[in-house]
């Protein structure tokens, strides 16, 4: 029931959803498993929606103690670092996710774009262009990827 309530609240009331997700994880105590990664991810997203990127990173670090190579957790932790303008740390998270699953960037155009943007912000233009090409391969109409690629090609 708590999961259903948290899901319902996640979009319109991330602060309340955060409380329910936290309660769900607290109820598990030390018995956390791979199945709890969805809850960790949703908790982190609820935190990020509130601007709590640092708390989200702590949440993802805790999740990684349970499943160290969960690509979704690594990716979302990268997003949280990017929210905090910590782009080198974001790139590190994305690199870890890609070591686990080299095709992870092909999950969705926005995934590849977010990776590209972090690489762009760390001045790794070649990697940024690579991930933008992946994004445009997944979705040729992805506007943000097209715009950033144009900016990079103009430089």
């Amino acid at each position: 029931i708590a999961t259903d309530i948290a899901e319902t609240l996640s979009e319109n009331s991330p602060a309340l959803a955060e409380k329910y997700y936290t309660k769900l994880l607290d109820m598990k105590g030390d018995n956390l498993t791979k199945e709890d990664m969805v809850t960790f991810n949703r908790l982190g997203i609820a935190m990020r929606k509130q601007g709590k990127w640092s708390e989200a990173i702590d949440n993802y670090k805790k999740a990684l103690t349970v499943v160290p190579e969960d690509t979704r957790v690594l990716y979302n932790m990268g997003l949280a670092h990017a929210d905090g303008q910590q782009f080198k740390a974001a790139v590190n998270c994305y690199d870890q996710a890609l070591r686990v699953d080299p095709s992870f960037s092909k999950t969705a155009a926005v995934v590849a774009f977010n990776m590209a943007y972090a690489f762009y912000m760390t001045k790794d233009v070649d990697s940024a262009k690579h991930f933008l090409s992946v994004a445009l391969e997944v979705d040729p109409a992805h506007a943000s990827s097209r715009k950033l690629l144009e900016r990079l090609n103009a430089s």
Side-chain angles (χ1 to χ4, degrees):
I1 294 174
T3 301
D4 292 340
I5 294 170
E7 293 300 307
T8 303
L9 295 169
S10 65
E11 195 61 40
N12 295 325
S13 183
L16 202 48
E18 176 187 348
K19 289 179 183 180
Y20 278 94
Y21 288 130
T22 300
K23 185 175 191 133
L24 282 167
L25 293 172
D26 288 347
M27 289 183 338
K28 296 282 304 237
D30 292 334
N31 299 316
L32 296 166
T33 66
K34 182 177 182 175
E35 286 71 38
D36 297 310
M37 294 305 103
V38 171
T39 304
F40 274 111
N41 271 324
R42 290 178 179 160
L43 172 58
I45 291 166
M47 290 171 166
R48 288 182 50 236
K49 284 182 180 178
Q50 300 171 75
K52 297 179 175 181
W53 59 268
S54 181
E55 292 89 338
I57 292 167
D58 292 339
N59 168 66
Y60 294 131
K61 285 180 180 177
K62 183 176 179 183
L64 291 173
T65 65
V66 179
V67 182
E69 295 188 335
D70 188 293
T71 54
R72 293 168 302 161
V73 170
L74 289 164
Y75 171 74
N76 283 326
M77 187 162 71
L79 291 177
H81 279 293
D83 287 349
Q85 306 294 304
Q86 299 177 333
F87 294 106
K88 287 183 182 179
V91 163
N92 182 45
C93 291
Y94 300 150
D95 281 340
Q96 288 179 57
L98 291 166
R99 277 194 291 277
V100 174
D101 179 1
S103 65
F104 186 78
S105 63
K106 296 179 182 177
T107 306
V110 71
V111 169
F113 172 77
N114 288 332
M115 291 179 172
Y117 187 76
F119 280 99
Y120 165 70
M121 294 302 290
T122 61
K123 306 205 184 321
D124 184 346
V125 174
D126 291 337
S127 293
K129 285 182 177 180
H130 165 75
F131 288 109
L132 290 171
S133 71
V134 170
L136 293 169
E137 180 182 312
V138 173
D139 178 5
H142 193 258
S144 298
S145 294
R146 287 191 172 285
K147 186 176 179 180
L148 183 55
L149 187 58
E150 286 173 13
R151 186 182 319 156
L152 290 175
N153 287 334
S155 313

